Amino acid sequence: PETITIQELANRMSERAVDVIRLLMKQGQIHKITDVIDSDSAQLIAEELGHTVRRVAESDVEEGLVSDEPDLEEDLDPRPPVVTIMGHVDHGKTSLLDAIRKTTVVSGEAGGITQHIGAYQVAAPSGDMVTFIDTPGHAAFTSMRARGAKVTDIVVLVVAADDGVMPQTVEAISHAKAAGVPLILAINKIDKPEANPQRVRTELLQHDIQVESMGGETLEFEVSAKTGDGLSDLLEGLQLQAEIMNLRANEQRDGEGTVIEAKLDRGRGPVATVLVQRGTLFTGDIVVAGAEWGRVRALIDDKGENVPYAGPSVPVEVLGFNGTPDAGDRVVVVPNEARAREVTEYRARQKRERIAARTGGANRSLVDMMR
Ligand code: GDP
Ligand code: MG
């Protein structure tokens, strides 16, 4: 059943909480301001105080926020794969991300300096784009997944050829499996004299990863983040995997995506890095993300340049939010500010009530704590 705190009920009616408490007391109920009552009691109180009650179910407010009409086949176009690099600490995740970014930066392009926005796109040798999510660490991956956000199409598992399979390698494999995301193996540090890539392949068999050269299906690449060896093959492999997966999206609809990271910037206000996943996001759009909304003031790409729009699989910084959304929040375009307010105020209330119920309730369940 839906519930509301007495404070919140009073706020919504612009009444004093003490008056609500007094009315409840008349009905023989003793309550504090932070107590939660059910929606039927709340309605009675509201009517007694002369208010007209319009009960809005979650489904009503959230209804139609995202069109669930499937895209027409002819509206779908291939989109770049979105890739996350995972692996044991020190096996070269950061080095690999940097090396891939560098190999594909056109010489002279702003001295090769790219602004860090938590994700970037590069062109594979074929010219097709590949998107990398640059939030290394399994924590980001798992926390987003826990929130139901699916932002990765392919996991690149990095294993250092001189170290082999280690605990976080195994962890990464189970993350990818749990998420149902295909995995591509990058055996890194092959420049090292003590590199033993064959050992890596053999060790992975124990974790149900069978690479192509051993008769399996997992694409594998020997690479060196240090020398750049094998990187273009890896990119080609990612592109190939994307083709196999037939990754497509309709860019002719309102933009939708996920917040990858967000922060409050002193000069620019709330800044959210958003991965667009469907449709096209434009400057001027009114967007909602979690309990925050805003009119898109600027979109900034991974090269630090202002862009007028961003399509599927494109990561962009979004400026214009009124507050800082959370990583994992779903971003959707809404028709007008009134709708944005309705949705975010509702969500903010839900959030407050969850917190109130949690701190007030004696037997909070694990499920509640993890929401
Ligand atoms: P991460 O913890 O997985 O992000 O690993 P890093 O990218 O920070 O790399 C850990 C160490 O390995 C650093 O000292 C890197 O310079 C080194 N390293 C990474 N890739 C290579 C490589 O391909 N060859 C060699 N020789 N060293 C590497
Ligand atoms: Mg790192």
Side-chain angles (χ1 to χ4, degrees), residues 20-80:
V20 175
I21 290 171
R22 199 165 291 143
L23 270 175
L24 284 162
M25 223 183 269
K26 266 200 226 161
Q27 301 170 4
Q29 299 184 47
I30 311 287
H31 281 288
K32 320 189 284 299
I33 196 163
T34 51
D35 282 354
V36 177
I37 57 173
D38 66 34
S39 47
D40 289 335
S41 314
Q43 176 157 3
L44 285 175
I45 295 292
E47 282 165 355
E48 198 142 333
L49 285 166
H51 295 273
T52 329
V53 175
R54 186 172 62 98
R55 284 169 80 158
V56 187
E58 172 153 26
S59 52
D60 292 339
V61 177
E62 307 261 348
E63 184 78 23
L65 204 53
V66 174
S67 157
D68 40 21
E69 230 165 85
D71 292 308
L72 294 175
E73 187 67 20
E74 67 251 39
D75 292 335
L76 294 172
D77 285 312
R79 64 168 180 85

Side-chain angles (χ1 to χ4, degrees), residues 40-290:
D40 289 335
S41 314
Q43 176 157 3
L44 285 175
I45 295 292
E47 282 165 355
E48 198 142 333
L49 285 166
H51 295 273
T52 329
V53 175
R54 186 172 62 98
R55 284 169 80 158
V56 187
E58 172 153 26
S59 52
D60 292 339
V61 177
E62 307 261 348
E63 184 78 23
L65 204 53
V66 174
S67 157
D68 40 21
E69 230 165 85
D71 292 308
L72 294 175
E73 187 67 20
E74 67 251 39
D75 292 335
L76 294 172
D77 285 312
R79 64 168 180 85
V82 180
V83 179
T84 303
I85 298 189
M86 297 177 88
H88 196 71
V89 64
D90 283 345
H91 280 197
K93 297 178 295 293
T94 304
S95 307
L96 216 52
L97 276 163
D98 289 348
I100 289 167
R101 192 195 263 129
K102 256 178 240 146
T103 46
T104 51
V105 167
V106 186
S107 54
E109 185 187 297
I113 297 162
T114 45
Q115 194 180 333
H116 177 88
I117 72 160
Y120 65 84
Q121 279 202 306
V122 297
S126 58
D128 294 313
M129 303 305 276
V130 177
T131 304
F132 287 90
I133 304 272
D134 187 8
T135 41
H138 303 187
F141 188 85
T142 30
S143 72
M144 282 208 206
R145 246 182 34 79
R147 306 201 46 210
K150 187 180 183 291
V151 288
T152 301
D153 298 307
I154 304 169
V155 165
V156 170
L157 178 67
V158 184
V159 185
D162 62 338
D163 203 24
V165 171
M166 297 300 276
Q168 286 166 283
T169 315
V170 179
E171 208 179 284
I173 293 169
S174 48
H175 284 327
K177 277 190 184 149
V181 176
L183 185 152
I184 289 183
L185 175 65
I187 304 178
N188 191 31
K189 307 199 187 183
I190 48 146
D191 60 282
K192 286 191 149 188
E194 60 274 36
N196 186 352
Q198 198 52 34
R199 193 184 104 203
V200 174
R201 295 187 179 92
T202 314
E203 286 175 347
L204 283 172
L205 284 175
Q206 290 170 22
H207 303 280
D208 287 332
I209 303 289
Q210 200 170 3
V211 295
E212 279 194 308
S213 66
M214 299 187 83
E217 300 205 317
T218 303
L219 296 180
E220 52 172 321
F221 299 91
E222 292 189 5
V223 300
S224 167
K226 189 176 175 187
T227 66
D229 269 356
L231 295 186
S232 59
D233 290 340
L234 174 61
L235 284 173
E236 204 82 81
L238 288 167
Q239 188 49 48
L240 180 68
Q241 180 70 45
E243 272 168 41
I244 293 168
M245 295 168 80
N246 194 24
L247 298 173
R248 297 185 303 164
N250 174 7
E251 51 184 54
Q252 313 281 348
R253 56 184 293 159
D254 283 344
E256 269 173 55
T258 299
V259 175
I260 296 171
E261 54 183 38
K263 57 174 192 267
L264 185 61
D265 186 285
R266 258 168 191 269
R268 301 185 297 167
V271 179
T273 300
V274 173
L275 174 71
V276 179
Q277 293 170 296
R278 283 218 291 191
T280 302
L281 186 62
F282 290 90
T283 55
D285 279 348
I286 296 165
V287 288
V288 164

Side-chain angles (χ1 to χ4, degrees), residues 324-368:
T324 312
D326 294 324
D329 279 345
R330 187 98 196 122
V331 181
V332 295
V333 173
V334 293
N336 51 52
E337 294 194 6
R339 183 79 172 111
R341 282 210 181 83
E342 180 188 36
V343 173
T344 52
E345 277 168 16
Y346 178 77
R347 288 177 178 175
R349 271 202 307 272
Q350 295 283 95
K351 208 165 156 180
R352 280 199 301 273
E353 281 163 23
R354 268 206 303 274
I355 291 166
R358 237 183 278 170
T359 46
N363 55 347
R364 40 191 180 146
S365 71
L366 190 60
V367 174
D368 279 336

